Amino acid sequence: MSGAKQIIIHVGLHKTGTTFLQDRVFPALPGVRFVHPLHYAQPSDGPIERLLLDLMFRNAACIDVARHRQRIDAWLAQVREPTVLISSEAIVGWPIENHSNLAVNAEYLARVFPTAKIWLVVRRQDRWVESAYAQLLKAGFSTSIERYLNYRDGRFDRYNVGLYNGPNVDARDLDWDAFDRHYRERWGHDAVLTLPFELFSQASAEFLGRFYAFAEIDPAQRVFPDTSERVNERWSPLAAGVAKLVNKVPMPVKRAIRDRLGREWHPSAVLARALPSSLLPSALGGRTRALSPALGAALLELHRDGNRALGRRIGLDLDAHGY
């Protein structure tokens, strides 16, 4: 039954404008049923949301895919819109777990939606790392960016399994070329659209236009919102530096305070509201970014060949965006 409707799955990455798209673009598209699975159950959840919750949090071997597909097909049969758009950055995997569930998620979604179209948005690795690291600080963790990248003695080391090592990634696995190839192997070359986040930042109309053409959205129904207003803006270097110190408080204490006062009363959140990032100087040592230039260059060099291969496959010059 899923083949009777056009299914678009926006898989992420995290930190590539997903919140803006989910808030300002997808819900406004006529003729599109937007499904936005969250990381927690809601009374309004339908069968697609319940499938995604299982993929996010259950052992995949214990998921009854056939039953999920039966329920989803029954739901699709009563959906009036010709296109169903599913968007969850968790589909590409959890960043703090090295995106290790990407392949399992793709396998199971391909079983349920074999004719779907996949939309992947990537971001230059150094800028992606900075943004993902800042999000960790917002979430209450305290670690250095070098430890997050497992960078020691001038080289990138493997992913350390388990959060007792702190959230971390294997920098070698921030290989968007491999992500893109994996989705094309599952759904077919023409069923995947991969775009760089930088295109959205620099030419949002072109970025959205490419997506709309791929999703076969009627030109008269396309939405081009004002992108000057930032959604989910990251903290300044100074606010992030404060978070690194504050977040050293044991997690049970932090959670108790957060549950009582709310996230908005985190010292860094208060600082960010009081002084916008554009007005704040850098935190330590005059650095304006969390990632040092040398470490950023090493990360990009690690992925130079893969980024160029990806650019050739998707028909875009990623070198022009600094990849």
Side-chain angles (χ1 to χ4, degrees):
M1 176 61 70
S2 61
K5 293 190 182 297
Q6 177 175 233
I7 307 295
I8 310 290
I9 307 178
H10 173 226
V11 300
L13 296 167
H14 294 78
K15 316 314 298 177
T16 57
T18 51
T19 300
F20 185 93
L21 294 170
Q22 292 161 351
D23 286 355
R24 308 291 174 83
V25 177
F26 299 154
L29 295 175
V32 173
R33 176 66 68 91
F34 173 44
V35 180
H36 181 199
L38 299 178
H39 302 161
Y40 50 88
Q42 300 184 103
S44 60
D45 280 349
I48 293 177
E49 289 93 339
R50 289 191 282 271
L51 168 64
L52 264 293
L53 280 171
D54 271 5
L55 288 177
M56 290 179 202
F57 299 113
R58 293 200 65 188
N59 183 326
C62 301
I63 298 176
D64 188 339
V65 180
R67 190 173 185 184
H68 276 294
R69 180 166 184 174
Q70 183 180 33
R71 290 174 174 174
I72 289 170
D73 283 347
W75 179 81
L76 288 172
Q78 53 82 41
V79 171
R80 298 177 62 181
E81 293 88 348
T83 295
V84 174
L85 170 57
I86 305 163
S87 175
S88 172
E89 57 269 44
I91 292 172
V92 84
W94 299 111
I96 62 172
E97 296 177 358
N98 202 42
H99 300 104
S100 58
N101 51 336
L102 180 152
V104 169
N105 290 348
E107 177 188 345
Y108 278 56
L109 286 170
R111 292 189 204 175
V112 178
F113 303 111
T115 61
K117 291 182 175 180
I118 306 300
W119 188 24
L120 170 68
V121 183
V122 299
R123 187 174 184 176
R124 215 175 86 180
Q125 281 87 353
D126 56 340
R127 298 294 182 251
W128 182 89
V129 163
E130 285 189 314
S131 190
Y133 174 70
Q135 190 64 35
L136 289 177
L137 299 179
K138 275 191 173 184
F141 293 99
S142 179
T143 188
S144 70
I145 200 164
E146 290 80 8
R147 188 179 181 195
Y148 174 61
L149 285 170
N150 288 296
Y151 187 76
R152 55 181 66 88
D153 299 326
R155 59 187 292 269
F156 294 104
D157 208 346
R158 63 174 178 77
Y159 168 63
N160 275 304
V161 177
L163 285 180
Y164 53 84
N165 289 307
N168 67 100
V169 297
D170 187 328
R172 299 169 299 178
D173 292 346
L174 301 177
D175 182 358
W176 313 144
D177 177 53
F179 287 26
D180 175 85
R181 283 188 283 106
H182 191 85
Y183 287 122
R184 292 179 196 272
E185 289 168 2
R186 286 292 178 275
W187 277 277
H189 179 79
D190 295 333
V192 176
L193 173 69
T194 295
L195 292 176
F197 170 74
E198 291 77 11
L199 182 62
F200 179 54
S201 299
Q202 298 163 15
S204 62
E206 180 183 349
F207 176 89
L208 290 172
R210 286 175 178 265
F211 166 67
Y212 291 145
F214 173 73
E216 301 178 62
I217 304 296
D218 189 312
Q221 297 180 322
R222 298 178 181 184
V223 176
F224 296 91
D226 178 12
T227 58
S228 61
E229 182 183 353
R230 295 303 177 205
V231 176
N232 197 24
E233 190 171 6
R234 78 182 185 192
W235 286 336
S236 69
L238 180 56
V242 170
K244 263 180 78 173
L245 297 175
V246 172
N247 290 349
K248 291 182 181 295
V249 173
M251 186 62 79
V253 176
K254 286 184 294 192
R255 294 194 63 175
I257 295 173
R258 183 189 66 193
D259 292 345
R260 189 172 184 85
L261 299 179
R263 292 178 183 271
E264 66 273 16
W265 290 105
H266 189 290
S268 291
V270 173
L271 180 61
R273 289 196 301 272
L275 293 171
S277 59
S278 59
L279 300 179
L280 286 172
S282 172
L284 304 175
R287 283 170 59 170
T288 58
R289 312 198 71 97
L291 199 66
S292 71
L295 185 51
L299 185 60
L300 284 174
E301 186 58 35
L302 188 66
H303 294 290
R304 190 76 65 193
D305 291 343
N307 288 340
R308 287 175 178 165
L310 175 62
R312 289 192 295 270
R313 189 179 308 111
I314 67 177
L316 287 171
D317 180 12
L318 294 183
D319 279 355
H321 297 292
Y323 279 70

